[in-house]
Amino acid sequence: MVSRVIPVEPFDLIIFGGTGDLARRKILPALFRRFCDGQMEGGGRIIGAARTELDGDAYRQFVQEAIVEFVTDQRCEPAAIAKFLKTVSYVTLDARGDTGWNALAGMTDPSHVRAFYFSVGPSLFGDLAERLRDYGMGGGEARIVVEKPFGRDQQTAEELNATLARHFDESQIYRIDHYLGKETVQNLMAIRFGNMLFEPLWNSQYIDHIQFTVAETVGVAGREEYYDRAGAMRDMVQNHMMQLLCLIAMEPPAKFDPDAVRDEKLKVIRALDHVTPDDIVRGQYLDDGDRPGYLETVGDAKSNTESFVALKAHISNWRWAGTPFYLRTGKRLRARTSEIAVVFKDAPHSIFGAEAGRHRNILTIVLQPNEGIELGVTIKEPGPGGMRLVDVPLDMSFAEALGPDTQFAADAYERLIMDVIRGNQTLFMRGDEVEAAWAWTDPIIKEWLEGGATPLPYDSGSSGPTEALALMHRDGRRWREIRK
Ligand code: NAD
């Protein structure tokens, strides 16, 4: 299937923090891929802006190296790099001072869509927003893009929102959660609201439980300072997993429009019950002989930060009363995988007798490594041996169904950056959503800190602490295996 690429209108994308790690690994490679696919043909320009003293050629060299290192697929011709670099320029700029701002204002074109990507620490967001206004770049079609972490609790998120709101309207603010840019995550909405098949069953009458797993094999080395102040709850659950939960649990919005979708997500967050310590397991990974454990890595033998969390949540509304949502995420687990499993209830009566065994339909949405959706259905085991039942997957692998050369290969950042240019906020978090997510997370964290319990140790390469398995066993359920 040939993908249709519609070039976006002329734009200037300014990357504050253009010499940083995120720009190098994600933003610049994503822009290059969109360039190769023809989406910047309308006239897109990229301006790196950072404190680092560089001239344009040195920055283009930096961009070229980033592309060579991180664009490893075959979609782009090497010759395209030289053409792409013609769209790139640089300005040395201090977010906290006046250096570079007049130059930047002169480089941008007011007739273009102007998107300012804040790829810097959140402590600079206010300075950047203020100067954009002061130097006349905040009006009209201007948009700002802000990265996570968006606060570390409700109060800091509210402060950050208030700071940005002093200079920009909510309709100009794009809070990125790259999970929302994943093809499968959007497909979740297509599957739920574009088919008649699933929605009538999408409630506690038919769904036994839903489990979410985001497992990583890496530890926290390299990010230890940030991570030890955050932990799995703040780093993963409050944002990425909460977004997945919302898309799974929300009511159908009246239309696929940013505020309609975000209103429904917000209602889910607000309907979440408080989670008590009985329904939470926290863990810290141990060393595996070759690599140090969590405590050694962060250099604090008394650290109370969790590198793993599993919890059972409830959503108090008509649709979901009685269906638990189990969430788990952690570092140094058995495999790198992210999936959501919607486990349907048993058929009310088995006409095949007890020997046919227990069979359940499970809809599995895989976010990584191989994005796709699989529906487990029960059929007769082939052969003459009587009526034996077996579960087989109805596989909806996107690459297989639609060909490998489709937009499915697109990285989340590609889609999200283009959505910013197109002015579509549907896949970005609204300020009140972020605050509500913290309002749910804060008391959970407070309670465990006050309780003084320390995280449970777990082996590197395992599925987390055994107590996490017990969290489901005691309900007569079990986690899906973290598959390699
Ligand atoms: P980094 O430290 O690698 O880069 C920071 C950039 O900010 C550099 O270009 C630096 O020159 C610039 N900068 C610093 N102070 C400045 C100032 N006063 N004026 C102008 N420029 C200044 O950081 P990073 O890893 O690229 O992260 C950037 C943001 O993205 C952070 O908020 C981070 O939490 C977030 N983030 C990063 C990642 C990632 O994978 N790196 C992932 C998710 C979110």
Side-chain angles (χ1 to χ4, degrees):
M1 195 176 110
V2 180
S3 53
R4 281 177 300 127
V5 175
I6 302 166
V8 291
E9 56 192 297
F11 70 87
D12 291 345
L13 178 75
I14 296 86
I15 312 172
F16 293 119
T19 57
D21 180 62
L22 184 69
R24 201 170 66 87
R25 286 193 308 111
K26 292 290 180 187
I27 305 171
L28 292 165
L31 286 162
F32 178 57
R33 289 200 185 95
R34 296 325 304 142
F35 178 84
C36 294
D37 282 352
Q39 204 150 28
M40 286 169 60
E41 274 168 17
R45 304 191 307 180
I46 296 147
I47 304 172
R51 223 172 14 177
T52 327
E53 299 244 359
L54 291 178
D55 61 19
D57 284 339
Y59 188 61
R60 282 183 282 276
Q61 178 70 27
F62 169 86
V63 174
Q64 173 156 8
E65 284 165 14
I67 291 170
V68 169
E69 187 173 353
F70 294 105
V71 183
T72 49
D73 56 56
Q74 302 300 312
R75 276 162 57 200
C76 301
E77 302 259 320
I81 298 185
K83 286 190 205 150
F84 177 69
L85 291 178
K86 291 200 168 72
T87 69
V88 177
S89 50
Y90 182 78
V91 58
T92 303
L93 171 145
D94 184 2
R96 293 218 157 105
D98 291 314
T99 310
W101 286 94
N102 277 324
L104 178 64
M107 287 161 86
T108 61
D109 182 340
S111 73
H112 286 186
V113 167
R114 288 186 292 186
F116 300 93
Y117 201 125
F118 290 12
S119 184
V120 295
S123 61
L124 294 179
F125 288 0
D127 297 293
L128 290 175
E130 189 183 330
R131 280 168 181 72
L132 283 173
R133 271 274 162 213
D134 289 352
Y135 285 86
M137 289 179 274
E141 287 290 295
R143 285 139 212 191
I144 60 171
V145 185
V146 295
E147 268 292 341
K148 83 165 200 181
F150 201 86
R152 56 172 280 108
D153 52 25
Q154 188 180 356
Q155 190 190 334
T156 48
E158 282 173 2
E159 285 165 6
L160 217 43
N161 277 334
T163 303
L164 296 179
R166 272 200 289 281
H167 309 287
F168 287 91
D169 187 73
E170 180 65 32
S171 64
Q172 297 177 287
I173 304 172
Y174 291 72
R175 295 175 194 78
I176 263 197
D177 183 322
H178 70 273
Y179 265 58
L180 290 182
K182 287 181 181 285
E183 191 66 36
T184 322
V185 172
Q186 291 162 74
N187 238 317
L188 244 175
M189 284 187 274
I191 289 217
R192 279 193 64 194
F193 306 129
N195 294 286
M196 194 54 208
L197 201 58
F198 296 108
E199 200 50 26
L201 307 179
W202 210 258
N203 55 55
S204 59
Q205 203 182 336
Y206 297 101
I207 294 179
D208 177 73
H209 73 278
I210 303 179
Q211 45 178 286
F212 300 72
T213 298
V214 176
E216 295 179 283
T217 49
V218 294
V220 301
R223 295 173 70 213
E224 47 272 71
E225 203 187 312
Y226 155 75
Y227 197 91
D228 200 41
R229 287 179 359 95
M233 191 75 179
R234 287 192 173 96
D235 187 52
M236 274 289 175
V237 178
Q238 184 273 344
N239 39 55
H240 305 315
M241 297 188 86
M242 177 68 83
Q243 290 297 322
L244 300 181
L245 177 80
C246 286
L247 295 179
I248 282 277
M250 71 182 185
E251 296 300 316
K255 49 188 169 172
F256 191 57
D257 123 332
D259 278 328
V261 170
R262 297 185 301 177
D263 285 346
E264 295 306 335
K265 281 161 58 192
L266 180 61
K267 284 186 210 160
V268 173
I269 304 174
R270 290 190 172 150
L272 275 168
D273 288 348
H274 174 64
V275 183
T276 62
D278 287 349
D279 285 335
I280 301 184
V281 175
R282 300 165 64 224
Q284 275 173 348
Y285 62 81
L286 298 168
D287 74 291
D288 63 2
D290 295 329
R291 296 172 300 174
Y294 182 81
L295 294 175
E296 298 92 81
T297 304
V298 300
D300 175 6
K302 290 205 170 70
S303 170
N304 189 25
T305 304
E306 74 289 352
S307 63
F308 174 97
V309 66
L311 60 86
K312 177 162 87 164
H314 287 281
I315 298 172
S316 279
N317 63 18
W318 274 57
R319 185 187 285 267
W320 295 118
T323 295
F325 290 73
Y326 298 92
L327 278 59
R328 77 178 154 168
T329 181
K331 302 270 181 200
R332 275 286 181 84
L333 296 177
R334 195 154 177 264
R336 178 169 175 264
T337 166
S338 299
E339 67 166 42
I340 305 168
V342 180
V343 182
F344 288 87
K345 289 188 172 171
D346 293 350
H349 165 70
S350 170
I351 64 168
F352 304 110
E355 62 277 14
R358 191 175 168 192
H359 296 272
R360 286 183 153 183
N361 298 121
I362 301 179
L363 179 71
T364 312
I365 298 130
V366 184
L367 309 171
Q368 64 188 22
N370 302 315
E371 287 197 56
I373 293 177
E374 192 183 284
L375 177 64
V377 292
T378 303
I379 62 163
K380 177 188 168 299
E381 195 177 294
M387 187 54 107
R388 285 194 302 264
L389 301 184
V390 63
D391 294 330
V392 293
L394 269 184
D395 193 343
M396 295 179 261
S397 153
F398 301 141
E400 240 171 66
L402 299 163
D405 195 24
T406 65
Q407 290 291 303
F408 294 118
D411 177 84
Y413 276 89
E414 292 178 53
R415 177 168 301 108
L416 293 174
I417 293 171
M418 288 303 123
D419 274 359
V420 173
I421 307 300
R422 285 186 282 249
N424 184 350
Q425 287 184 304
T426 310
L427 299 175
F428 296 83
M429 295 177 294
R430 210 168 53 192
D432 52 2
E433 253 185 276
V434 178
E435 289 173 16
W438 282 121
W440 178 74
T441 317
D442 282 357
I444 300 174
I445 295 174
K446 185 164 175 266
E447 206 162 300
W448 76 42
L449 288 179
E450 284 171 0
T454 48
L456 303 162
Y458 62 93
D459 287 333
S460 284
S462 71
S463 301
T466 47
E467 287 76 359
L469 305 180
L471 183 74
M472 285 193 85
H473 282 171
R474 68 178 197 209
D475 295 342
R477 302 183 174 107
R478 63 191 164 90
W479 291 107
R480 296 191 20 109
E481 198 188 330
I482 296 179
R483 284 177 285 183
K484 283 204 181 185

